[in-house]
Amino acid sequence: MAQPLSSLSHHAVAPTAQRPRHPISAQVFARLRPVVGHKTPAHPRPNGYLFPTLAALAGYGALSWLILKGVEEQVYFRFDLSPLLTTTLAVQIHVAAALSALLLGAYLMLAPKGAAFRWHKEMGWAWVVLMGITAVSSFFITGLMGHWYSPIHALSALTMIALPFGIAAVRQRDLAEHRKTMTDMFYGGMLLAGLFSFLPGRMMWSIFFSV
């Protein structure tokens, strides 16, 4: 005997689409979709700076050996700020701006970029000003090659040229070029140039070492 429609509808099985085994809300899918389907641009790796860094270290080691090879006294470590406190005003301004730019630049290199870090723009402008002061003040300082400018001053000139290009890149929304330009200045204008300021006999070297 045929069963009534009411009893059949009572035993009917709901479609599987309405009863998923592992229900996930549409909001979760909406959040996961851009993460899974979009590749975030990777941060530039410092592999391109490996050869210049090794070359700079080799050059620093060779020059330091040539300077110290005729010194019979033993070199020892000490910390003495008197060479900095008694030097010219141009050197003091240069050292203060360079150390500030080094610390601030290192923080900006490690901190999140763009909207993820609300103070990136303000701190970036401060770093640009400090780099400009460091580069300009270096032209009032000689000594590595007597009274002549040295190759380090060429890095200062390149820094003054590159700073406007880095600013123009971010104004044009070319964030990749902006990041590359500023990173190049940090490695070349700060780390590599700063390395040669510690050559034996120079003021920065005499703060930490003596014979």
Side-chain angles (χ1 to χ4, degrees), residues 7 29 31 46 66 70 75 101 104 115 124 134 139 149 161 198:
S7 62
F29 274 123
R31 294 180 181 180
L66 290 174
V75 177
L104 182 58
T134 303
F139 291 101
Y149 288 142
I161 295 173
F198 284 87

Side-chain angles (χ1 to χ4, degrees), residues 8-201:
L8 289 176
S9 59
H10 177 73
H11 296 285
V13 179
T16 56
Q18 298 179 4
R19 299 174 58 186
R21 181 176 297 180
H22 301 288
I24 301 179
S25 66
Q27 294 181 353
V28 176
F29 274 123
R31 294 180 181 180
L32 291 177
R33 190 178 297 112
V35 176
V36 176
H38 177 70
K39 293 184 178 181
T40 304
H43 293 284
R45 296 182 179 180
N47 296 338
Y49 304 103
L50 179 60
F51 178 75
T53 302
L54 294 178
L57 290 174
Y60 174 83
L63 289 174
S64 299
W65 179 79
L66 290 174
I67 296 172
L68 295 174
K69 70 174 184 177
V71 178
E72 297 180 356
E73 293 83 359
Q74 184 179 2
V75 177
Y76 64 92
F77 174 82
R78 62 94 185 262
F79 182 74
D80 183 13
L81 285 175
S82 59
L84 178 61
L85 298 177
T86 57
T87 189
T88 62
L89 180 61
V91 175
Q92 293 175 347
I93 293 175
H94 178 77
V95 172
L99 290 178
S100 301
L102 176 63
L103 295 176
L104 182 58
Y107 180 78
L108 288 172
M109 291 293 114
L110 298 175
K113 307 299 185 291
F117 179 42
R118 59 175 299 184
W119 296 107
H120 180 83
K121 181 179 179 180
E122 289 77 8
M123 296 181 71
W125 274 112
W127 185 78
V128 167
V129 172
L130 290 171
M131 287 294 292
I133 296 174
T134 303
V136 172
S137 61
S138 68
F139 291 101
F140 296 91
I141 305 170
T142 56
L144 185 61
M145 300 180 63
H147 296 289
W148 298 91
Y149 288 142
S150 68
I152 297 179
H153 292 91
L155 290 175
S156 298
L158 289 175
T159 298
M160 296 178 64
I161 295 173
L163 279 174
F165 283 96
I167 297 172
V170 74
R171 287 184 176 274
Q172 297 172 0
R173 305 297 181 183
D174 191 350
L175 300 183
E177 183 64 24
H178 169 74
R179 182 181 301 170
K180 180 180 182 301
T181 302
M182 296 306 186
T183 305
D184 288 346
M185 279 191 292
F186 179 76
Y187 276 91
M190 293 302 305
L191 299 183
L192 299 186
L195 175 65
F196 287 92
S197 67
F198 284 87
L199 282 172

